[in-house]
Amino acid sequence: MTKVTEFIRQANGKTLFSIEIIPPLKGQNINELLNSIEPLMEFKPPFVDVTYHREELIDRIGPDGLVERIPVRKRPGTVGICARLMERFHVDAVPHVICGGFTKDETEDVLIDLSYLGIDNVLVLRGDPEKSAGIFKAKAGGHTYASELVKQVSDMNKGILLNAETEMYPTDFCIGIAGYPEKHFDAVSFDSDYEHLKRKVDLGANYIVTQMFFDNQKFFRFVERCRAEGITVPIIPGLKPLATKKQLTVLSQIFHLEFPKELVDEANRCASDKEVRQVGIEWGVQQCRELIDYGVPVLHFYTMGKSDNVAKIAEKIF
Ligand code: FAD
């Protein structure tokens, strides 16, 4: 399998197309997800990211009639989906690996499975907080920050395991990390956010994928600041086409981002979400054209289960 940074090098300055998918809710058919992204294969994504989701605590009435809180992983299956993607579409799968909900040993087991599957890329993240908790809490024996997990993967690339009695055959993971053009919501300041981003790169991260943004100027400022801080790894913009009026509020709340006034005004003038979807496609095409002119290595789309609008953008761009 090929490393994301190697795909970028081989592209020789040409911008690549890639996507992120989310595992289906527990119990749903995986073929629906795979069928839904099939039309996007026409645009030849060299790699497809698959998100990872921690357990959530849910309330359930127990046999004694009392409410009990039990942990449920609502979207299991990341590793299995990666295997299916590689088999069906002959693309490289990039599983996300998260700190939240895992001990370091459990993470090590997952990373060993991935290396046995021939997966050479991982996107290393802290993970979202549990919805019921609101703030991020590490599992006992787990990592608190993505930088610690980057170090664990880098160590495995050097043949260092946590508690091994034997020497390990080194893994060879290419490590991606997240970056936030509009600042991560927990960061006390932009300065500290860049400091922590730089630490992840210094510990071995090979490339950055950004949180979604709708204003390219924010991405350009982010790249310039990264370069000024001495971060030289490739920076891949993460993109999502606006699809409904409600997303103007929901996405800005969840992802802590600001929509440009021009896009908000255009969306608000629409009489239906069908029209908003079209506005989102046109905005996305403009964003992509400008990002290609800027020289981005990859346009990485968050499909979030629906991909027809991503396909419409890709048709115009690739
Ligand atoms: P970190 O790099 O650990 O940073 C988290 C916060 O802590 C930041 O504010 C940072 O400035 C601060 N910080 C870092 N180090 C320190 C330190 N030493 N001391 C004090 N503060 C520090 N979530 C999922 O659950 N599953 C996914 O699959 C997933 N995929 C994602 C993909 C992308 C491209 C992006 C952008 C996000 C994704 N997320 C996913 C969401 C992500 O997990 C959250 O945004 C999470 O809150 C932060 O993750 P991180 O890796 O950026 O964390």
Side-chain angles (χ1 to χ4, degrees):
M1 295 291 158
T2 309
K3 296 192 163 93
V4 167
T5 46
E6 184 56 20
F7 282 126
I8 293 172
R9 200 191 60 74
Q10 286 169 2
N12 218 0
K14 190 171 168 281
T15 302
L16 300 169
F17 168 76
S18 71
I19 58 168
E20 176 194 282
I21 59 171
I22 301 176
L25 285 168
K26 183 148 79 174
Q28 286 186 357
N29 188 335
I30 178 63
N31 289 322
E32 273 174 34
L33 171 68
L34 298 177
N35 293 343
S36 79
I37 60 164
E38 185 152 30
L40 296 177
M41 294 303 141
E42 186 191 330
F43 309 105
K44 307 212 168 2
F47 61 92
V48 173
D49 276 51
V50 187
T51 57
Y52 218 119
H53 300 269
R54 68 182 299 163
E55 294 169 340
E56 289 290 335
L57 290 176
I58 60 156
D59 289 338
R60 187 185 76 165
I61 309 285
D64 51 6
L66 297 174
V67 175
E68 57 181 14
R69 294 213 120 176
I70 53 157
V72 174
R73 194 178 303 281
K74 290 186 179 169
R75 294 183 185 273
T78 299
V79 177
I81 294 172
C82 287
R84 287 291 298 276
L85 278 173
M86 295 191 295
E87 176 206 54
R88 175 155 163 187
F89 299 123
H90 308 288
V91 292
D92 277 30
V94 184
H96 293 187
V97 183
I98 60 173
C99 306
F102 292 91
T103 65
K104 294 170 199 168
D105 290 286
E106 286 163 347
T107 298
E108 189 173 84
D109 290 349
V110 171
L111 290 164
I112 288 172
D113 276 347
L114 295 177
S115 74
Y116 287 170
L117 273 172
I119 288 175
D120 281 338
N121 296 289
V122 283
L123 192 77
V124 168
L125 301 140
R126 184 190 74 173
D128 288 322
E130 273 175 89
K131 288 198 180 66
S132 50
I135 53 160
F136 181 85
K137 283 202 200 104
K139 185 170 177 178
H143 296 297
T144 305
Y145 295 111
S147 54
E148 298 162 8
L149 182 47
V150 170
K151 170 137 189 349
Q152 182 175 2
V153 183
S154 291
D155 279 350
M156 287 179 73
N157 282 348
K158 293 180 199 136
I160 304 167
L161 286 175
L162 291 174
N163 300 305
E165 283 156 15
T166 55
E167 271 187 33
M168 181 206 184
Y169 186 77
T171 53
D172 192 18
F173 287 114
C174 174
I175 305 171
I177 50 167
Y180 302 82
E182 302 188 47
K183 190 179 87 58
H184 183 264
F185 57 91
D186 277 350
V188 288
S189 64
F190 265 108
D191 287 350
S192 74
D193 215 17
Y194 283 105
E195 203 181 293
H196 300 310
L197 184 64
K198 172 94 168 43
R199 178 171 312 115
K200 291 192 277 190
V201 175
D202 291 344
L203 285 167
N206 303 107
Y207 68 99
I208 297 168
V209 184
T210 75
Q211 184 56 278
M212 67 180 74
F213 58 89
F214 292 83
D215 178 351
N216 283 350
Q217 294 309 318
K218 297 206 159 114
F219 175 79
F220 299 149
R221 279 199 289 276
F222 174 76
V223 174
E224 278 151 30
R225 177 75 192 264
C226 285
R227 300 310 181 217
E229 296 290 335
I231 297 171
T232 57
V233 297
I235 302 180
I236 298 176
L239 298 163
K240 174 181 161 24
L242 180 72
T244 63
K245 229 179 251 192
K246 199 172 160 203
Q247 285 181 349
L248 291 171
T249 337
V250 174
L251 294 179
S252 41
Q253 272 167 5
I254 298 179
F255 300 110
H256 302 263
L257 52 88
E258 220 179 314
F259 282 92
K261 183 173 179 314
E262 202 187 328
L263 177 58
V264 175
D265 289 347
E266 270 194 60
N268 280 332
R269 275 195 293 272
C270 293
S272 67
D273 274 344
K274 194 166 167 224
E275 285 179 32
V276 177
R277 211 169 173 81
Q278 187 54 34
V279 165
I281 291 167
E282 282 157 24
W283 189 271
V285 169
Q286 286 312 317
Q287 261 197 290
C288 289
R289 288 194 174 134
E290 208 181 10
L291 289 164
I292 289 177
D293 287 347
Y294 188 73
V296 298
V298 183
L299 293 167
H300 183 70
F301 287 89
Y302 299 112
T303 60
M304 290 181 158
K306 298 246 171 80
S307 57
D308 61 296
N309 49 0
V310 174
K312 288 204 175 108
I313 294 173
E315 268 164 27
K316 294 247 158 102
I317 298 293
F318 293 98

